[in-house]
């Protein structure tokens, strides 16, 4: 199944996380409708402009010309530890993703070893928009 595969890819992407400030490494695997998968990790800095794993994956995909997205899988945990609790996208990422996806876009997370499934509509009900219905 794609979601099991993508959760593994997201967990692997944590290895590239640059997160010396939070000590929390996050990986994401963004699946495009054409089957391409882009991974991303969180990238922090000494200011407050950290980039979450989800946005890293979207930025990579969009800058490579991708436009149609199916799902994103997200795994996060303290550095060098196995994920124990669920890592759901932050509010900024929810709004960011909503720009590029339809309401059926899926978000997969890992909760106590089990994959949980949401739609962007579940996580961002009544999200702000000024140009779409
Ligand atoms: N973070 C993500 O990359 N994705 C999430 O879904 C939640 C939080 C990052 C931001 C920051 O680098 C670290 O995790 C701790 O908040």
């Amino acid at each position: 199944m794609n979601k099991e595969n993508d959760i593994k890819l997201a967990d692997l992407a944590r290895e590239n996380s640059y997160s010396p400030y939070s000590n929390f490494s996050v990986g994401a695997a963004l699946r495009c409708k054409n089957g391409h998968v882009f991974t991303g990790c969180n990238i922090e800095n000494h200011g407050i402009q950290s980039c979450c794993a989800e946005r890293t994956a979207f930025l990579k995909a969009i800058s490579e010309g991708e436009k149609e997205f199916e799902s994103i899988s997200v795994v996060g945990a303290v550095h060098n530890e196995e994920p124990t609790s669920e890592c759901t996208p932050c509010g900024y990422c929810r709004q960011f993703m909503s720009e590029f996806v339809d309401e059926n876009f899926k978000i997969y997370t890992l909760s106590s070893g089990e994959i949980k499934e949401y739609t962007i509509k579940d996580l961002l009900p009544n999200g702000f928009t000024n140009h779409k219905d």
Side-chain angles (χ1 to χ4, degrees), residues 52-112:
C52 291
E54 295 91 325
R55 277 177 285 127
T56 302
F58 266 91
L59 293 171
K60 285 171 68 178
I62 292 163
S63 61
E64 294 298 322
E66 301 286 352
K67 290 185 173 65
E68 303 276 323
F69 303 105
E70 188 173 299
S71 65
I72 193 164
S73 299
V74 186
V75 178
V78 172
H79 283 176
N80 303 317
E81 289 188 11
E82 295 295 311
T84 48
S85 59
E86 190 183 12
C87 182
T88 53
C90 75
Y92 183 175
C93 285
R94 293 177 197 203
Q95 185 73 44
F96 182 97
M97 292 192 289
S98 75
E99 178 74 22
F100 303 104
V101 304
D102 61 49
E103 65 178 26
N104 298 316
F105 179 75
K106 299 278 193 310
I107 294 125
Y108 298 113
T109 63
L110 201 56
S111 176
S112 306

Side-chain angles (χ1 to χ4, degrees), residues 10-29:
D11 196 24
L12 276 176
R14 290 178 57 218
E15 289 176 14
N16 293 327
S17 166
Y18 177 76
S19 42
Y21 302 100
S22 68
N23 203 38
F24 193 81
S25 55
V26 185

